[in-house]
Amino acid sequence: MTAADTQTRPFAEALKDAQGQITAHMELRLAGSDDLHAAMRYAITGGKMLRGFLVLESARLHGVAAEAALDAALAIECIHAYSLVHDDLPCMDDDDLRRGQPTVHKKWDEAMAVLAGDSLQTFAFELLASPTVGPHALELIRGLAQSSGKDGMVSGQMLDIAAESAAEPLNLEQITKLQGRKTGCLIEWSATAGAVLAGANPDPLRQYARALGLAFQIADDILDVEGDAAKVGKAVRKDADAGKATFVSLLGLAEAKARAQALCEEACAALSPYGEDAATLKEAARFVIARDS
């Protein structure tokens, strides 16, 4: 059976199915009984798994074998989870709550959080090096290293930390660059993974992902202003309290919402080469700007 054998479905159904598949694959591949494995599973569990969903959906569009798609989907969820575990540490954002549960360093301790994050990062590349991933594995591995490392997510986190002590708040161009690296790079890798696995042209999905990633971050900034901590699953209004520049603080709430909507439309337009087969991905873009968590 290939990923393409699954017909286009409503986004909520497709996302729930992706969550179930990725969780089952995680439990199979991370079945160890020690505290390290438990902390790794805990870090992955409970999230929206939007990035993993994007991998599976882009793989479906290109007829990629299900096992290869699942290894890539779990890999990106491992990278995302590791980044959150480390970002929550006292030396970074110092958060006690993630996805409505105690953060890893609160449930265990800081040492376990560091080790679990380290292990999640390396396990992602182990997954992508599996023979089941196929002949384009090296391209995926290189892309994930670039998207998550010094020129991608980690660079974005560094810029975010530097902004906290900068003499002046970031301007719109600077914050767009920061979020493009911190959030957008991994979303782009996820959305293009199916095309890369199939050896197909990833450009339409890349355009989709770049608009989606920016819309996602704007929506996150809106949630920090309007969201309910119980629904969001983490502390809200931290950015405003810290005087941190966000898309909302720079654009205003109404303009930020309008910008997110425009990016959603841009993302959907980029999918035109796929016709109705991309309906679920279009719905995913609408979900991103309307979510309450």
Side-chain angles (χ1 to χ4, degrees), residues 77-110:
E77 289 301 327
C78 285
I79 290 290
H80 180 53
Y82 122 73
S83 75
L84 298 181
V85 171
H86 284 187
D87 202 39
D88 288 336
L89 285 167
C91 63
M92 298 274 282
D93 272 3
D94 194 13
D95 278 313
D96 296 341
L97 195 67
R98 172 69 66 180
R99 296 166 177 167
Q101 300 292 329
T103 48
V104 173
H105 71 275
K106 285 295 181 181
K107 186 170 178 65
W108 282 274
D109 55 32
E110 290 182 35

Side-chain angles (χ1 to χ4, degrees), residues 213-270:
L214 188 53
F216 185 96
Q217 187 55 50
I218 294 173
D220 238 23
D221 288 352
I222 292 169
L223 275 176
D224 190 65
V225 174
E226 295 188 329
D228 178 345
K231 290 183 178 179
V232 175
K234 60 181 180 179
V236 296
R237 284 168 276 285
K238 285 185 66 178
D239 292 341
D241 292 345
K244 191 174 179 180
T246 67
F247 287 105
V248 173
S249 70
L250 292 169
L251 296 172
L253 189 57
E255 178 60 27
K257 290 181 177 180
R259 184 71 63 91
Q261 179 62 46
L263 286 163
C264 173
E265 293 169 4
E266 182 182 330
C268 291

Side-chain angles (χ1 to χ4, degrees), residues 21-97:
Q21 289 188 62
I22 295 166
T23 299
H25 199 56
M26 172 195 73
E27 291 170 350
L28 177 68
R29 299 300 302 269
L30 283 174
S33 59
D34 59 21
D35 280 351
L36 179 60
H37 282 82
M40 292 168 73
R41 292 191 297 267
Y42 181 86
I44 297 170
T45 303
K48 290 182 287 293
M49 297 189 176
L50 179 63
R51 293 158 186 80
F53 157 81
L54 289 172
V55 171
L56 295 183
E57 191 62 18
S58 67
R60 183 193 66 79
L61 283 177
H62 293 88
V64 173
E67 191 171 359
L70 277 170
D71 277 338
L74 180 56
I76 194 62
E77 289 301 327
C78 285
I79 290 290
H80 180 53
Y82 122 73
S83 75
L84 298 181
V85 171
H86 284 187
D87 202 39
D88 288 336
L89 285 167
C91 63
M92 298 274 282
D93 272 3
D94 194 13
D95 278 313
D96 296 341
L97 195 67

